[in-house]
């Protein structure tokens, strides 16, 4: 007979992915423990803009390779599940306080860099057409809430009616209450060690010293999943390590109490998710844009990131935001694998699973990944495409070293243009050439053939700790 601390499945991590999976599993009549501190320190979910960014997140590089296209297909499948996912929540049938935005408007403004913004805007539009998804080309003049500085005004815009946003606080609460209503066990602690026996996971040790017994354990704790994986070094060595994609965002009340009806955003650029404004109700908006790869999680933002974020919002979206009131600064830690792709499936230890590494797409993908991961865990027939991101793998590198360096240079230049730098004529080419040479030399020293994706690459040039992680990772997989 099973004891009180014995479970069919233990899910580690109570962010959007962990909660979604735990709820899906308990609906299958399994005994499920969900492990995670209630205040969710370091979480990406609590600091997210929570855009259901299937098409708005598309980039030309994403669609330029089979792995990126598959990840995008996952988002397309997930977007179609969201209405039903919300309808079936056990705790509520009222979505009015969950959905915060009626569709998404993507603007192509003059402050961006053409080699990044123009091609990504086109990629968004092409993907919408290829999937027969509804969208509308609109005149930026007709976007009522939009009022940028003159030098930042957009020349093009598209409206995506089915790409909404949700309130992350509310959706997390509803998922958690639904899980508890069905008899789930919520453990307000964090895991410190995974125990195994004869090649099979069999227990999770908590920070209190308590042991939870199960032969099925899922790591869905974002970046902090790496800490637990590190307790099994012989397993961790064959899986791309996780680092933090730190994002800074702000909640601001507008001076006149008005908010947009839709999400307003730019295409992804400058290593980040594009500038975006998300309505939150009662005269409040969420402002996001930033991303910085770091070796460890962080709870406090850098001053420069906050200043840049707020300045971008009133320069590029609405001038009157500079007269608004700052309610809160949020810092989130997105889980990023060293090759930039998700870690979905069973590890080299039987019964130990991973569901993380989703970067900026965890919330959007959550209904789909929870559905498919639950099938995998239960031995049911599942979408075979999910295996493409199995955790045990050599680094996924769909582009050549030269192509990766080229994209890194372009996004670095885009960072300068977005911050309105002023350079004399001819210097753009000089800077571009020098940066290319710098990254080429750096990658040649890093490894003869493996090259990290652009955002990891630029972080490695700045942080010795990221560099050491890459050196060790590449050395282990080439033994």
């Amino acid at each position: 007979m099973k004891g009180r601390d014995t479970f069919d499945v233990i899910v580690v991590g109570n962010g959007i992915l962990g909660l979604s999976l735990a709820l899906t599993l308990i609906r299958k009549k399994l005994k499920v423990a969900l492990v995670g501190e209630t205040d969710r320190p370091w979480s990406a979910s609590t600091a997210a803009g929570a855009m259901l960014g299937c098409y708005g997140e598309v980039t030309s590089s994403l669609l330029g390779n089979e792995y990126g296209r598959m990840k995008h297909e996952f988002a397309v499948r997930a977007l179609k599940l969201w209405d039903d996912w919300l309808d079936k929540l056990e705790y509520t049938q009222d979505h009015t306080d969950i959905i915060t935005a009626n569709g998404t408007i993507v603007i192509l403004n003059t402050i961006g860099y053409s080699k990044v913004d123009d091609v990504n805007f086109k990629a968004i539009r092409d993907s919408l057409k290829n999937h027969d998804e509804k969208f509308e080309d609109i005149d930026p003049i007709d976007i009522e809430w939009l009022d940028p500085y003159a030098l930042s005004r957009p020349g093009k815009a598209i409206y995506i009616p089915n790409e909404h946003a949700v309130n992350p606080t509310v959706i997390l609460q509803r998922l958690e209450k639904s899980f508890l209503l069905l008899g789930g066990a919520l453990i307000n602690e964090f895991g410190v060690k995974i125990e195994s026996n004869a090649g099979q996971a069999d227990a999770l040790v908590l920070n209190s010293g308590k042991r939870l017994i199960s032969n099925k354990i899922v790591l869905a704790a974002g970046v902090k999943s790496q800490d637990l994986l590190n307790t099994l070094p012989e397993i961790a060595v064959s899986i791309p390590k996780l680092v933090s994609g730190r994002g800074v965002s702000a909640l601001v009340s507008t001076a006149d109490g008005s908010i947009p009806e839709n999400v307003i955003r730019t295409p992804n650029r400058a290593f980040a998710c594009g500038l975006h404004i998300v309505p939150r109700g009662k005269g409040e908006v969420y402002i996001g844009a930033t991303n910085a790869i770091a070796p460890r999680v962080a709870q406090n933002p850098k001053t420069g990131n906050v200043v840049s974020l707020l300045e971008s919002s009133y320069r590029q979206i609405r001038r009157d935001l500079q007269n608004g009131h700052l309610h809160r600064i949020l810092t989130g830690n997105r889980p990023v694998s060293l090759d930039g792709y998700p870690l979905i499936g069973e590890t080299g230890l039987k019964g130990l699973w991973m569901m993380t590494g989703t970067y900026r797409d965890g919330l959007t993908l959550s209904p789909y990944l929870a559905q498919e991961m639950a099938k995998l865990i239960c031995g049911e027939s599942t979408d075979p495409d999910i295996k493409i991101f199995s955790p045990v793998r050599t680094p996924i590198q769909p582009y050549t070293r030269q192509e990766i360096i080229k994209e890194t240079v372009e996004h670095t230049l885009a960072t300068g243009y977005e911050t309105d730098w002023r350079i004399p004529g001819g210097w753009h080419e000089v800077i571009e050439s020098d940066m290319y040479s710098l990254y080429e030399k750096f990658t040649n020293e890093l490894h003869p053939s493996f090259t990290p994706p652009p955002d990891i690459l630029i972080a490695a040039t700045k942080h010795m700790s990221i560099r050491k992680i890459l050196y060790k990772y590449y050395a282990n997989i080439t033994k």
Side-chain angles (χ1 to χ4, degrees):
M1 185 174 180
K2 291 185 177 181
R4 187 180 62 180
D5 299 328
T6 300
F7 299 89
D8 296 319
V9 186
I10 298 169
V11 179
V12 184
N14 61 343
I16 191 70
L17 286 178
L19 270 168
S20 299
L21 177 60
L23 179 58
T24 304
L25 289 167
I26 204 166
R27 285 173 176 168
K28 292 178 176 288
K29 311 302 181 184
L30 298 175
K31 186 180 180 183
V32 182
L34 181 64
V35 177
E37 295 168 283
T38 55
D39 59 348
R40 297 182 176 88
W42 312 294
S43 172
S45 300
T46 54
M51 301 175 289
L52 304 185
C54 172
Y55 295 97
E57 290 288 314
V58 164
T59 64
S60 61
S61 61
L62 181 77
L63 300 184
N65 71 87
E66 62 172 316
Y67 298 97
R69 287 191 295 271
M70 186 56 68
K71 187 180 178 186
H72 179 47
E73 286 303 315
F74 289 176
V76 172
R77 296 167 195 175
L79 193 63
K80 294 175 181 177
L81 297 176
W82 265 94
D83 286 343
D84 189 54
W85 178 241
L86 294 178
D87 284 339
K88 289 183 177 178
L89 286 178
E90 285 75 9
Y91 184 73
T92 181
Q93 298 300 317
D94 182 6
H95 306 159
T96 55
D97 59 347
I98 298 178
I99 302 293
T100 66
N102 181 25
T104 292
I105 294 173
V106 183
I107 60 173
L108 178 62
N109 58 8
T110 55
I111 201 166
Y113 180 44
S114 60
K115 289 186 178 180
V116 174
D117 285 49
D118 289 2
V119 294
N120 286 347
F121 187 86
K122 182 179 184 301
I124 293 169
R125 201 172 180 282
D126 288 347
S127 183
L128 288 162
K129 289 194 294 184
N130 292 339
H131 287 89
D132 293 320
E133 180 68 29
K134 291 180 181 178
F135 77 98
E136 180 184 353
D137 291 304
I138 58 177
D139 190 329
I141 294 175
D142 296 329
I143 305 172
E144 293 184 4
W145 202 78
L146 186 69
D147 182 29
Y149 281 18
L151 294 179
S152 302
R153 66 187 186 277
K156 296 179 181 179
I158 53 177
Y159 172 55
I160 310 171
N162 294 326
E163 194 157 291
H164 308 305
V166 297
N167 186 313
T169 301
V170 176
I171 189 67
L172 289 171
Q173 288 173 347
R174 299 295 163 80
L175 288 168
E176 185 174 290
K177 289 179 178 179
S178 295
F179 175 71
L180 291 172
L181 276 174
L182 294 178
L186 200 61
I187 313 295
N188 181 22
E189 294 192 49
F190 60 91
V192 296
K193 184 181 180 183
I194 296 165
E195 294 183 345
S196 62
N197 182 33
Q200 167 75 58
D202 67 359
L204 175 72
V205 181
L206 303 177
N207 57 295
S208 64
K210 184 177 180 179
R211 295 172 75 248
L212 303 181
I213 309 301
S214 179
N215 61 3
K216 293 179 180 178
I217 301 172
V218 186
L219 301 183
V223 188
K224 298 299 285 185
S225 300
Q226 188 63 49
D227 290 347
L228 273 173
L229 198 59
N230 288 343
T231 67
L232 300 165
E234 71 283 2
I235 302 301
V237 72
S238 60
I239 298 171
K241 288 187 178 296
L242 290 163
V243 291
S244 171
R246 293 178 186 170
V248 176
S249 54
L251 294 175
V252 174
S253 63
T254 59
D256 60 1
S258 69
I259 60 174
E261 182 181 355
N262 329 100
V263 172
I264 300 177
R265 63 167 299 163
T266 68
N268 285 357
R269 64 188 181 201
F271 304 108
C273 47
L275 175 65
H276 49 277
I277 304 289
V278 184
R280 283 288 172 86
K282 297 182 180 179
E284 186 178 72
V285 295
Y286 171 101
I287 303 170
T290 65
N291 184 69
I293 301 297
R296 292 173 294 277
V297 296
Q299 286 183 289
N300 299 310
K302 290 184 177 180
T303 305
N305 288 340
V306 176
V307 172
S308 176
L309 174 69
L310 297 177
E311 184 180 40
S312 294
S313 71
Y314 61 75
R315 289 176 62 226
Q316 298 185 50
I317 304 294
R318 186 175 175 86
R319 291 179 295 168
D320 196 42
L321 282 171
Q322 63 186 317
N323 296 315
H325 294 274
L326 183 61
H327 285 181
R328 191 178 174 194
I329 297 292
L330 307 167
T331 302
N333 294 272
R334 307 176 182 101
V336 187
S337 69
L338 286 183
D339 63 10
Y341 290 95
L343 303 171
I344 309 295
E346 196 168 19
T347 68
L349 176 65
K350 186 178 179 181
L352 179 64
W353 305 76
M354 295 190 75
M355 184 183 177
T356 185
T358 49
Y359 210 163
R360 294 187 286 262
D361 303 314
L363 188 137
T364 300
L365 295 173
S366 55
Y368 170 74
L369 290 184
Q371 168 187 286
E372 298 306 318
M373 177 61 81
K375 291 177 184 176
L376 280 174
I377 291 168
C378 295
E380 300 170 4
S381 178
T382 188
D383 186 344
D385 291 336
I386 209 80
K387 295 178 182 178
I388 193 173
F389 298 123
S390 175
V392 180
R393 66 190 188 220
T394 55
I396 296 173
Q397 185 178 319
Y399 293 107
T400 66
R401 172 164 290 179
Q402 289 70 32
E403 289 169 331
I404 293 170
I405 292 173
K406 181 175 180 291
E407 185 176 346
T408 305
V409 171
E410 288 173 349
H411 279 265
T412 305
L413 290 168
T415 304
Y417 285 111
E418 189 171 16
T419 53
D420 203 25
W421 69 356
R422 294 285 187 267
I423 54 176
W427 275 91
H428 173 108
E429 290 74 19
V430 173
I431 296 171
E432 186 174 29
S433 176
D434 284 352
M435 281 196 294
Y436 192 98
S437 298
L438 170 68
Y439 295 135
E440 189 173 44
K441 181 176 183 294
F442 179 82
T443 52
N444 287 336
E445 294 173 350
L446 191 62
H447 191 270
S449 57
F450 289 125
T451 310
D455 39 8
I456 302 286
L457 172 56
I458 194 168
T461 64
K462 296 178 179 179
H463 301 288
M464 177 57 75
S465 51
I466 294 282
R467 208 175 310 173
K468 288 180 178 178
I469 292 172
L470 284 167
Y471 279 138
K472 186 175 181 180
Y473 173 55
Y474 290 154
N476 284 329
I477 61 176
T478 52
K479 283 181 179 178

